[in-house]
Amino acid sequence: MKGLPLKQRRFFCCIYALAIIIIACSLIQENFNIYIEDYNRIIFFIAITGLTESVTLYFNKISFSTTFAVTLATYMLFGPFESIIILLSGFLIRVLKVDSNTYKHLFNTPCYGTLFNCSMFTVSLLGANCIIMYIVKQIVWIQDSIILIIIFSASYFIINKIILSCMMKLYTGQSFRYCFIKDLKLGILNYIIMIPFGVILVYLYT
């Protein structure tokens, strides 16, 4: 991280701090318990997440990541904190093929990059969870599970893309609006397709 420009270092530190703050606030507001019988299920979903992070699907020259389907399923099954553990652990054990002879994994990725991704996932998921908790408590008429799933997915997606667009703005020098719209167009189809798969995964598991 020492070789990075000052603006990029400040940005990464802000995301790290934001992740810590949202974890602390979420822990204060909600109880966090993992029971003994949960460990086998958590390990099972960590393995699936690691696999989805390692494999990218292609259809008509468009790439699709299936990780969000697993993240949505674990959020629905276990709640936000177990889902974060599964998502981050799965991300850390991924082995992503870059080209025919090169693989990206935890041990050849800069620490600041790994920490940034983990922080971004944390802020996206717990931020979306905070929005859901507010809606459930304050907006009584929105209690339908399908609507809440859509709101959670949209919140996760938007928060994630805002953070990524801020980073791309620093790296490319292009405007935030341009980076956000470009990333939105590239990612929205993937999320829309993965929502039903996440729900199906929940039903298959239960």
Side-chain angles (χ1 to χ4, degrees):
M1 193 168 175
K2 290 181 179 179
L4 293 176
L6 181 60
K7 285 185 178 180
Q8 292 180 16
R9 281 185 283 170
R10 285 177 176 173
F11 172 72
F12 284 131
C13 289
C14 286
I15 299 301
Y16 303 156
L18 184 59
I20 293 171
I21 291 169
I22 198 167
I23 288 171
C25 292
S26 298
L27 286 172
I28 291 170
Q29 292 180 351
E30 298 183 45
N31 294 322
F32 176 43
N33 296 305
I34 297 180
Y35 300 101
I36 294 175
E37 59 267 23
D38 289 340
Y39 287 108
N40 289 334
R41 298 188 295 176
I42 289 173
I43 292 171
F44 171 73
F45 276 101
I46 286 173
I48 292 179
T49 303
L51 180 62
T52 59
E53 280 286 343
S54 302
V55 178
T56 301
L57 301 179
Y58 291 90
F59 180 75
N60 286 344
K61 297 182 180 180
I62 301 175
S63 62
F64 293 91
S65 172
T66 55
T67 302
F68 181 70
V70 182
T71 301
L72 178 60
T74 56
Y75 177 79
M76 294 171 64
L77 288 167
F78 308 123
F81 296 108
E82 291 88 340
S83 184
I84 278 291
I85 292 171
I86 291 167
L87 176 58
L88 298 188
S89 300
F91 172 76
L92 292 175
I93 65 171
R94 86 198 193 288
V95 179
L96 184 64
K97 188 175 183 179
V98 179
D99 54 45
S100 57
N101 297 313
T102 308
Y103 291 85
K104 182 186 288 187
H105 50 77
L106 176 63
F107 301 108
N108 67 359
T109 305
C111 290
Y112 68 84
T114 300
L115 190 56
F116 167 76
N117 280 299
C118 291
S119 299
M120 180 178 65
F121 291 144
T122 301
V123 173
S124 300
L125 196 150
L126 292 183
N129 179 67
C130 288
I131 293 170
I132 291 297
M133 291 300 100
Y134 174 83
I135 289 172
V136 169
K137 291 178 182 178
Q138 303 295 330
I139 308 177
V140 180
W141 61 270
I142 301 182
Q143 299 294 324
D144 185 83
S145 58
I146 299 298
I147 296 175
L148 293 176
I149 288 169
I150 293 172
I151 293 172
F152 171 82
S153 301
S155 301
Y156 181 100
F157 174 72
I158 291 170
I159 294 169
N160 185 272
K161 295 309 173 188
I162 287 173
I163 295 172
L164 281 176
S165 298
C166 289
M167 184 186 71
M168 291 307 298
K169 178 180 180 296
L170 291 174
Y171 273 89
T172 64
Q174 295 169 325
S175 69
F176 170 80
R177 182 174 178 273
Y178 175 83
C179 294
F180 182 73
I181 293 174
K182 181 181 178 181
D183 210 18
L184 198 71
K185 290 178 179 178
L186 291 173
I188 193 167
L189 180 61
N190 184 88
Y191 276 77
I192 291 172
I193 291 173
M194 288 304 125
I195 291 172
F197 280 100
V199 176
I200 290 169
L201 184 58
V202 171
Y203 281 104
L204 289 175
Y205 183 77
T206 53

